[in-house]
Amino acid sequence: MTKAEVIREAAAGTKLKLEAVTLREIRMPLVHFFETSFGRTLSRRILLMTAHCEGVDGWAECVAAEEPSYSSEWIETAWATLQHHLIPAVLGQTFSSAGECVSSMHRIRGHRMAKAAVENALWDAEAKERKQPLWKLLGGCRRQIECGVSIGIQDSVEQLLEKIETELASGYRRIKLKVKPGWDLRILERVRSRWPEILLSCDANSAYRLDEIEHLRAFDNFNLLMIEQPLWNDDLYYHARLQAKLRTAICLDESIRHARDAAIAIESGACRIINIKVGRVGGFTEAKKIHDLCAARDIPVWCGGMLESGIGRAHNVALSTLPNFTLPGDVSASKRYWKEDIVEPEVEVTGGGTIAIRDEPGTGYRIRKDLIDQLTVRKETIRSRQ
Ligand code: OSB
Ligand code: MG
């Protein structure tokens, strides 16, 4: 280092030397099963990543699921890609900010959920090192965020109505229903006639095809805030064709992998709303890029969820404080998913359907290390030899 560099670094005050990384898999059964158009989840296998940076530990959750259904990534590809490619690309390096690791991982194609685990753990470490709340470091501006819920496909309509009633009574500000052929118009009709005024949306997770366009047009009858990802998970073009024929706004989730996808989706009219999931897009840097691009084009965004434990959930809370997160997200209370969460306090929602933002350094949610140890089924620490 030159003298000027030493002085500059001392002035900046932050240095993250990534000395070691710990990967773990924990098992956590869900309080209730969660069913989408692609299947039912009863229990989660969750990959946690810890970035050890000279006395400061940053934590993140990799949102890759148990099966490659929502995306092509799943826990085993994420673990292997982290172990063999991503961790070697960043280990032993010194970063002056978390976002710098993105270029180190650039030559590895795809595997965005795995990349997000690395980057987000470093963001957590950076926030702790700077003694700043993560939400501020990300550029957030809100002191509370608005919460919605995503309600899976149920065994009966009665069960669904009961669930909605419970969530509305808890204060949630938007109800999103998972739909698929055979569980769509009939339930939307029942829900809308019972609650004519609520903010209501639906998510098809790619369950429809373009030849079902007349069927999809019937969704216009229910005054929905949006219909999320009706067509193929990797499509933009046909969503544009569909959006031109619908009154209801299309929101894209799966199809938006990065800011360029978001730009093309907006320019081509494939959607009017975008769901940002930090794991899906490869980390906070890309999530912020999409956020900024949407803000500049007057496209509202909201924060999606992936049945996260408290660690991923806390990151979603922080991200949701950015100014263009103007619609209620799928960020809800820990207790909807877990008997006991791995952070303290658990993520809690007020009677008004909001989460209050915490001001401690990092996420503001402490890691329950003992509980994590109890839930761990596999663990590996990889150290730098430098
Ligand atoms: O499409 O938003 C989705 C869960 C798993 C995979 C995909 C999705 C979801 C959800 C649940 O809708 C959101 C949550 O409550 O975490
Ligand atoms: Mg979705």
Side-chain angles (χ1 to χ4, degrees):
M1 252 194 278
T2 66
K3 201 172 164 195
E5 277 171 338
V6 171
I7 293 168
R8 215 176 305 129
E9 204 173 87
T14 310
K15 197 159 69 61
L16 295 164
K17 176 159 197 236
L18 186 58
E19 296 174 306
V21 162
T22 300
L23 298 180
R24 303 165 186 266
E25 178 184 340
I26 60 168
R27 301 271 166 108
M28 289 177 80
L30 287 163
V31 172
H32 298 287
F33 67 82
F34 188 82
E35 186 171 325
T36 67
S37 60
F38 52 72
R40 187 177 277 200
T41 306
L42 295 143
S43 181
R44 295 290 333 276
R45 295 175 62 190
I46 296 176
L47 196 170
L48 297 178
M49 143 123 194
T50 319
H52 306 285
C53 304
E54 297 180 308
V56 175
D57 282 352
W59 287 76
E61 174 169 347
C62 177
V63 298
E66 297 69 38
E67 290 181 351
S69 318
Y70 165 82
S71 84
S72 61
E73 286 188 85
W74 63 297
I75 182 166
E76 296 288 346
T77 65
W79 187 291
T81 307
L82 281 160
Q83 185 182 25
H84 295 293
H85 301 286
L86 295 170
I87 291 166
V90 292
L91 202 62
Q93 288 197 53
T94 301
F95 301 106
S96 53
S97 68
E100 285 181 3
C101 75
V102 173
S103 60
S104 304
M105 298 189 288
H106 188 69
R107 64 187 166 78
I108 295 144
R109 300 266 189 262
H111 299 282
R112 294 182 180 81
M113 292 175 176
K115 286 176 178 170
V118 173
E119 194 196 334
N120 297 355
L122 284 168
W123 276 90
D124 185 44
E126 183 182 347
K128 285 174 182 158
E129 175 70 31
R130 290 183 190 268
K131 300 192 169 44
Q132 262 192 42
L134 176 61
W135 68 269
K136 264 196 190 157
L137 195 61
L138 288 168
C141 64
R142 253 175 253 292
R143 304 315 322 276
Q144 53 172 38
I145 62 163
E146 288 194 284
C147 308
V149 287
S150 173
I151 303 184
I153 294 164
Q154 305 297 316
D155 287 329
S156 69
V157 181
E158 287 63 39
Q159 237 171 42
L160 175 69
L161 297 176
E162 222 171 276
K163 278 220 146 168
I164 297 172
E165 198 167 298
T166 308
E167 305 296 9
L168 290 171
S170 304
Y172 286 103
R173 297 189 176 191
R174 184 270 281 140
I175 301 287
K176 161 174 139 183
L177 304 179
K178 290 291 188 181
V179 292
K180 65 174 184 181
W183 182 268
D184 49 11
L185 300 178
R186 193 167 47 96
I187 60 145
L188 290 171
E189 170 65 43
R190 288 286 297 274
V191 173
R192 232 344 153 208
S193 58
R194 175 133 168 218
W195 293 283
E197 305 292 340
I198 59 168
L199 220 44
L200 183 66
S201 71
C202 69
D203 185 357
N205 290 109
S206 311
Y208 300 95
R209 296 295 168 255
L210 206 60
D211 61 8
E212 291 169 294
I213 202 154
E214 281 314 309
H215 179 74
L216 288 167
R217 282 173 79 132
F219 283 58
D220 277 344
N221 296 328
F222 304 108
N223 187 27
L224 301 175
L225 178 61
M226 67 190 103
I227 170 168
E228 192 177 334
Q229 200 70 37
L231 305 176
W232 300 269
N233 69 293
D234 57 357
D235 170 76
L236 295 173
Y237 179 79
Y238 290 109
H239 277 97
R241 295 255 299 260
L242 176 62
Q243 180 67 92
K245 299 214 161 94
L246 293 182
R247 254 190 303 123
T248 308
I250 290 178
C251 169
L252 290 177
D253 173 352
E254 285 91 325
S255 298
I256 307 296
R257 299 162 298 175
H258 40 58
R260 190 165 38 81
D261 277 341
I264 295 169
I266 296 166
E267 279 168 39
S268 63
C271 65
R272 297 186 197 138
I273 298 174
I274 287 179
N275 161 338
I276 299 183
K277 288 179 181 165
V278 62
R280 190 193 69 225
V281 304
F284 280 129
T285 298
E286 198 65 24
K288 276 160 57 70
K289 260 194 215 164
I290 298 173
H291 165 273
D292 294 351
L293 180 136
C294 290
R297 288 164 169 76
D298 275 330
I299 296 291
V301 302
W302 55 278
C303 185
M306 291 290 287
L307 312 176
E308 289 94 344
S309 78
I311 293 178
R313 200 165 292 277
H315 284 189
N316 290 343
V317 171
L319 182 65
S320 304
T321 64
L322 269 67
N324 195 36
F325 281 83
T326 50
L327 295 171
D330 278 348
V331 186
S332 57
S334 297
K335 68 173 184 201
R336 294 188 63 246
Y337 307 82
W338 319 115
K339 212 170 106 205
E340 207 178 1
D341 203 347
I342 56 174
V343 296
E344 205 175 46
E346 299 202 339
V347 177
E348 282 167 0
V349 171
T350 65
T354 63
I355 294 172
I357 303 306
R358 305 181 61 83
D359 268 334
E360 295 89 341
T363 64
Y365 294 90
R366 286 177 301 281
I367 305 289
R368 292 184 62 186
K369 192 75 188 325
D370 290 350
L371 180 56
I372 290 175
D373 282 338
Q374 281 172 37
L375 300 172
T376 299
V377 295
R378 141 163 91 142
K379 178 178 167 183
E380 186 172 335
T381 296
I382 306 167
R383 287 174 211 288
S384 163
R385 272 168 295 180
Q386 288 163 40

